Amino acid sequence: MKLAPFDTGHRFFRGNLHGHSDLSDGKRSPAEVIAIYKAMGYDFTCLSDHYMQGLDISAPSVPDSRSLRDVRFTTLLSAELHCPGKKYDKRGVWHIVANGLPLDFAAPREDETGPELVSRALAAGAYVSIAHPEWYGLTMDEAMSVSHADAVEVYNHSCVVECDRGSGIAVADYLLNEGKRLKFNATDDSHLGIDDFGGGWVMVAAERNDPDLLLAALKAGHNYSSTGAELHDLSLEGDILTVRCSPAVSVAVAGPGEVSAVAMGPNLTYAEINIARIRARGGYFRVTVIGNGGARAWSNPYWFDELEQG
Ligand SMILES: [Zn+2]
Ligand SMILES: [Zn+2]
């Protein structure tokens, strides 16, 4: 059985789900941001500028990037939403990235909570991500309180290059262990004042490079996350997981707690991995490809009960 999204037959579109322009604290104009991502060969990006009533760095509204689309390149209407109540953040605010917001989405208020803000963005139709959990010390209690979001940023490039706190895997695994069915993404969180772009992205399987189709695909988990490695196919027959990927030193399958299985390269582009021990534990598994040069690709988590329902 081919696993999603490789069972859709759709091609993949490369995009950035988190980045800033000079509408908030980014260093480049919206047009310059879009030109940089187009020049890198991306299919889509976003202007997820900071957004909150009274915040010193807030954009005046959800950025309208529609005029920067063309026949080959599109944008997702987005914002990084903030509201008070987050421990350890320098402004004491939550960071919630929402892709696919309506342009009239009201600025978050000072009496809104993080969980309420996630709910309001979801109700508005957005694909909502828990941003850079490691960077600002998201606690496990805080993570649980926003676990109704769609996804966790498992990689945030600007947080990696600025302070080596750009992983979200530990928080994501914690939430998965708690039964929370979140997806993954990798992003740049680019501000473009330093070399903080083109480092983390999503590959989204969709019928066309259309904002609504991309968002529906992301909501369905029809993406993988990458810092340079590629996932080409995943299929599961009984307990044998078959992986096709770009040349890898390691293809690792992780399940709940500490359970895992691995195939080792170098130059591995095909692997058959027995995941019986993970299935025996129940819950979920996820696949990480570590490329020969260290770049990674992460699948979304797969849940055994959903696979058995077909
Ligand atoms: Zn942030
Ligand atoms: Zn950001």
Side-chain angles (χ1 to χ4, degrees):
M1 161 175 66
K2 269 188 186 290
L3 299 181
F6 304 97
D7 59 348
T8 64
H10 295 325
R11 62 157 286 193
F12 283 86
F13 297 96
R14 179 182 179 188
N16 177 35
L17 297 174
H18 184 175
H20 301 273
S21 75
D22 62 8
L23 294 170
S24 62
D25 64 346
K27 300 300 182 237
R28 303 295 190 99
S29 70
E32 288 174 318
V33 172
I34 274 46
I36 286 166
Y37 280 90
K38 283 171 76 168
M40 289 193 293
Y42 281 58
D43 299 295
F44 67 95
T45 191
C46 68
L47 305 172
S48 62
D49 279 300
H50 301 287
Y51 191 38
M52 176 187 168
Q53 268 183 21
L55 187 74
D56 55 344
I57 55 170
S58 180
S61 62
V62 174
D64 185 356
S65 54
R66 290 175 299 174
S67 68
L68 298 166
R69 296 171 179 166
D70 63 32
V71 288
R72 290 180 49 197
F73 190 90
T74 198
T75 64
L76 304 181
L77 302 180
S78 306
E80 183 166 9
L81 307 172
H82 305 282
C83 66
K86 174 69 190 72
K87 279 174 87 173
Y88 308 134
D89 180 68
K90 61 187 169 188
R91 291 178 173 82
V93 296
W94 284 85
H95 294 226
I96 303 290
V97 173
N99 304 109
L101 284 172
L103 290 170
D104 63 354
F105 188 81
R109 304 178 312 269
E110 290 195 5
D111 63 349
E112 246 175 325
T113 68
E116 287 169 351
L117 191 51
V118 169
S119 297
R120 187 157 70 85
L122 289 170
Y127 167 80
V128 180
S129 299
I130 300 171
H132 46 58
E134 187 180 37
W135 175 72
Y136 74 158
L138 190 76
T139 71
M140 295 308 176
D141 286 345
E142 288 172 336
M144 282 296 281
S145 78
V146 292
S147 59
H148 52 308
D150 291 297
V152 177
E153 268 186 3
V154 296
Y155 179 88
N156 180 302
H157 189 58
S158 73
C159 295
V160 167
V161 298
E162 284 183 26
C163 57
D164 193 24
R165 279 199 283 259
S167 176
I169 283 288
V171 165
D173 267 330
Y174 171 76
L175 292 172
L176 296 169
N177 274 301
E178 290 290 327
K180 306 298 182 184
R181 302 198 176 202
L182 290 136
K183 314 290 196 277
F184 294 176
N185 58 55
T187 74
D188 274 346
D189 197 359
S190 46
H191 292 68
L192 300 164
I194 57 168
D195 185 1
D196 63 356
F197 54 95
W201 58 88
V202 285
M203 298 295 288
V204 183
E207 197 178 333
R208 291 193 314 280
N209 193 33
D210 169 271
D212 292 337
L213 295 175
L214 293 169
L215 285 162
L218 286 163
K219 284 259 183 194
H222 289 177
N223 70 286
Y224 71 88
S225 307
S226 180
T227 64
E230 297 170 8
L231 265 172
H232 297 158
D233 194 42
L234 290 173
S235 63
L236 185 64
E237 301 296 339
D239 288 327
I240 304 300
L241 178 70
T242 302
V243 182
R244 293 177 199 276
C245 58
S246 54
V249 290
S250 167
V251 177
V253 188
E258 84 303 330
V259 68
S260 66
V262 69
M264 299 297 293
N267 297 316
L268 209 58
T269 57
Y270 175 89
E272 293 181 358
I273 304 171
N274 190 318
I275 63 167
R277 287 194 309 123
I278 302 176
R279 186 193 292 277
R281 192 72 67 90
Y284 71 97
F285 66 92
R286 58 179 182 78
V287 181
T288 305
V289 173
I290 304 177
N292 285 342
R296 282 167 161 74
W298 296 270
S299 78
N300 277 318
Y302 297 96
W303 294 83
F304 288 108
D305 59 358
E306 292 178 10
L307 294 175
E308 281 155 18
Q309 286 161 15

